[in-house]
Every structure is written in C-alpha cells, then in structure tokens.
Amino acid sequence: MPLMDKWNREILRLAVPSVISNVTVPLLGLVDLAVVGHIGNETYISAIAVGSMIFNVMYWLLGFLRMGTSGMTSQAFGRHDRKECLDILARTLLIGIGTGLFFVTIQRGLEWGMLRLMNTPETSWGLVGTYFRIVIWGAPAMLGLYGLTGWFIGMQDTRMPMMVAILQNVVNILASLFFVFVLDWKISGVAAGTVLAQWAGFIVSLSAACRRIRRPVRGFDLLAGRLFRAQLHATWRHVQKRKDAWGEFFRVNKDIFLRTVCLVAVNFFFTSAGGKQGAMLLAVNTLLMTLFTLFSYLMDGFAYAGEALSGKYYGAADGEGLRIIVRRLFAFGGLMAVLFTAVYAVGGEGFLRLLTDDTAVIASARPYLFWAYLIPAAGMSAFVLDGVFIGLTATKGMLFSTAVAMATFFTVYFLFWRQLGNDALWIAFLLFLAARGAASFLWMHRYSIIT
C-alpha cells in the first residue's frame, strides 16, 4: 500500500486543516486559563472552569447544528444536489442564530440556574457571574458558526474553518492580553476577549459562505453569477415552505441531541464532582482535562475528514470507497494515540506549568497525571467512529454507544468513589471513553464496513 495513495491524500487534505483548526479551538479556553492562572489563585481558575462549563453545556446541546449539517451536506454534495446544500445552510442558520438570541433574552434565568446546578464554590460566585453576563452575548455568533462550520466541512472544505479558528484565537489572545494587563479588567477582560473573538469568527465565516455561494467552485457550480440574489430569496422561501425537509432535519438531529445530552451529563457531573471536593481539586481536574481537550480536538480533525468523506461516498453509493476510508481513518487514529501517549508521558507536568505558576495546584495534580496519560488509548476509536456515524447520518448508533458509555461512567463512579475519591472519577471517565468506542464498533458492524 503506497504511503500517499489517493485515499490517504484525500483524508489528509481534509484532516490537516481540521487538525490545525481544532488544535487552535481549545486555545480560546486555554488562553483564558493561562491569563487567570497568572493574575490570581485557584479561585480564578475554578471560576473560569465553571463559567466555561456552563457555556459548554449550552452549546454542546446544540452540537447537531454542526454535526447534522456536516453529514447531510456531505451526502447532498455526493449526490450533486446543489439546491439542497443551500437549503441545509439556511435551516441551520435560522435555528442557530435564533437559539442564540433566545439564550441572550433569558440570560438571568440561565445564570441563576447554572450557578446552582454546577455546585459553584461560594468563593467563585461573583467571578463566574461576571464572566457569564459578558460571554452570553456571543451565543448567536457561536451557534451560527456551528452551522457554518458543518456546512463547509460537508462541502469538502476544511480550510475555511481553519482560517476562521486561527483568526478567532489571534483576536482572543490579543484582546484578552490588552483588556487584562493594559486596562486591568481582570476576569471581565478575559470574557470580553472571548466574545470579540466569537463575533469576529462568525462574521468572517458568513462572509466566506456568501462569496462561495455567489461564484462557481471547481466541480460544483453552486448558484453562480447574476442569479445569486433572486435564487437566494427563492431558497429562503423554499426553506420556509418545505415542512418535510424540516421534519427530516430534526429527525436526523434528534438522536444527536439526545447523544449530546448524555455527553453533557458526564462532563457536567465530572466538573460538579470536582467542585464538591473543593476549589483545589476542581482546579486540578480542570488543568488535567486540558490534556483530553487537546487530544480530542486533534482527533476530531480526522473525524471531520470522516464526516465529509464517508458522507460523500455514501451519498454517491460507493460502498468500496467508504470501507477503504474507514480503515484508513483507524490507521491514522492509532498513530495519533501512540504519539500523544508518548508526548503526555514525557511532558505532561511541563504542560501544566505553562497554564499556571501556582505550585500548590501543580503538586496536587501529580497523583492524577497517570490517568491523563491513558486518555488517547481509551478515546481513539470513539472519535473516529463518531465521524463515520455523522457522515452516514447513522445517528442512532451514536446515541446507543454514548448511552452505554454514560451508564458505565455513573456505575463505576458510584461503586468506587467512597474508597478512591478523585481517582474513581478519572477511572470512570476513562472507562466512559473506552465503552463509547467498543459500543460504536459493535454498532458499525451493521453496515459491513469494518471487516
């Protein structure tokens, strides 16, 4: 098998920009952590942890705006269904921006409920509230950007999401540093930098989508030239009238939504259980979870390639191409798991020192570093197969595997937390990742593509 045959080139053409994009995405959170890690103690770190998790809960529940859009668009692309590609974009933008505006409208109620659900330490309440009341204004931009990112991936274009992600992080870094260290806004400056970056990314991505719609693109002449405005208006009318398409859109995404509820429940509980153990262990778990975040976003780069390519080949009814793509994705995933395990084992503690200079937090994190080293091996299969599931719009498989994994997580934790404490939390999380992969693998055999 040639190292760089057409299959590997096709995967890398989509995966490399996605990897670059996704590695930069956690920088939006890492910059926040790094900044507050150098302006305050564990109270600031825990405040950012809770504030970030609140928005993760809100946004993860709307994750179908990206995932469902990617899968359906890639299949329409494979069928050369030009009109449907634009209809999908219009539907996801209507839902995303509308939901974001709804969140802004009910922000006071959201803040009140989330602070209590997250078992926020009393010392962090004021800081978390300040962070929330600023970052909430980025909700319409973030949810609109979810749909735009999924649409670009489905259109076999991962370079534009990469450029947008890089732009967001440059804006976030520069703005946060200026607001915090020049204007002395402290946590308000961190939040303001995040919002500014979110809106910058959305505006640039939306402008790029409009440019692509207006002009012909190689292999896919989509609504080109002078007919752009008239056809765009017709598309919006078409989207509003097609009840069958709206029904299909929500049918496909219902399972993704419920699957996301399971993921949010586990991540929410993980943070909440850390909060119950005090601000120090909450800070420790937050820092160690950045190792999971980095691996997950890199693996999602290959998962995005899986979404685009498996959807394209499935839409084109090319079963052999689909099987080859899945096998190659697993090969790349295994390589990444070995690489990250080695990197974490060698430089894990050094990475934590980049995030904070609080020696007490670093010392408290050392006993749990071993669990973080196991993250790549435990999680690789789940990331790869999630991409394939999305491309095939086989959303019931995603829901099944995540529900099984969630049950495993809570069973293990409640059986052992009295004896093992925070170790039980990490063991349960690692088994959650492994169970997702195993259950996904079993479900995928139904499609006869992993044989």
Side-chain angles (χ1 to χ4, degrees), residues 3 19 45 57 68 76 83 93 95 152 155 157 189 208 223 228 257 263 275 292 301 390 407 447-448:
L3 181 62
V19 167
I45 297 175
V57 170
K83 183 64 176 175
L93 286 176
I95 296 170
F152 276 114
M155 296 293 287
D157 179 2
L223 296 179
F228 169 68
F257 173 80
L263 286 177
F292 169 72
I390 292 168
Y447 293 86
S448 301

Side-chain angles (χ1 to χ4, degrees), residues 179-192:
F179 293 149
V180 172
F181 294 110
V182 177
L183 300 184
D184 196 29
W185 288 1
K186 298 188 183 298
I187 202 166
S188 296
V190 173

